[in-house]
Amino acid sequence: MVASSERPIEKVATVVQPIPEREAEMPYAPAVNVAGPADILFISGATPSPLYHKHPHVREEHNHPVDIEAQTHRAMASIKMVLDKQGLTWRHVVKVTKYVTDMRDMDGMVAVMATYFGDWKPASTTICINSLSTPGARVELDMIAIRPR
């Protein structure tokens, strides 16, 4: 049986590393444990489209850059607006779900996300899908954040 290592974050969430000596190999946490009372914020999926846009979609509002890095920056900027409004930081994010239309974009997307998260590695899942909500969108990110009470 392998012991798990836990690192406190805000005294509410801890990273679980079943094999702590291999943590540096992981771009995300295998799991994050949330203990005690906390508010949970579920952040809807953000794409390279503006956070606020018309529905039904107006094509002119969804002029996406081609490269995955620029698209990821745009999605992260939308999520940052939500976090900022709630008085939260990237370290409050405990779970990320990443949707990409091409798995070859994974490294570029992860590299951009690391510039926001720094040394914090929330639990993460990546799913490759056929398409996203607007033509040309290559990435969508949704997140779960916690706020200690």
Side-chain angles (χ1 to χ4, degrees):
M1 189 163 145
V2 178
S4 72
S5 153
E6 295 187 351
R7 236 183 348 191
I9 300 298
E10 302 285 334
K11 298 184 181 179
V12 173
T14 53
V15 170
V16 178
Q17 287 289 346
I19 306 174
E21 59 273 14
R22 297 193 64 187
E23 179 178 1
E25 297 173 38
M26 300 290 285
Y28 57 87
V32 173
N33 182 52
V34 179
D39 294 328
I40 302 173
L41 177 66
F42 295 88
I43 303 170
S44 295
T47 68
S49 295
L51 179 61
Y52 290 96
H53 55 268
K54 294 180 180 79
H55 290 86
H57 288 164
V58 174
R59 179 69 181 130
E60 294 75 30
E61 290 185 305
H62 303 277
N63 186 16
H64 308 306
V66 175
D67 65 283
I68 191 63
E69 293 83 3
Q71 287 202 15
T72 303
H73 278 295
R74 284 188 176 187
M76 294 294 280
S78 291
I79 291 168
K80 185 171 182 344
M81 284 195 312
V82 173
L83 292 171
D84 288 349
K85 180 66 176 176
Q86 292 295 302
L88 302 175
T89 69
W90 296 108
R91 292 190 72 89
H92 290 96
V93 174
V94 296
K95 177 70 167 92
V96 178
T97 304
K98 305 175 298 264
Y99 303 89
V100 292
T101 58
D102 187 336
M103 287 303 285
R104 293 172 290 190
D105 286 339
M106 181 79 159
D107 290 341
M109 176 190 59
V110 168
V112 169
M113 291 178 69
T115 65
Y116 291 84
F117 283 107
D119 65 349
W120 175 234
K121 298 175 183 178
S124 177
T125 300
T126 303
I127 303 166
C128 187
I129 60 173
N130 190 34
S131 63
L132 289 164
S133 60
T134 56
R138 296 167 59 181
V139 63
E140 183 166 348
L141 306 168
D142 71 51
M143 302 187 189
I144 300 171
I146 60 164
R147 176 195 359 259
R149 288 191 186 164

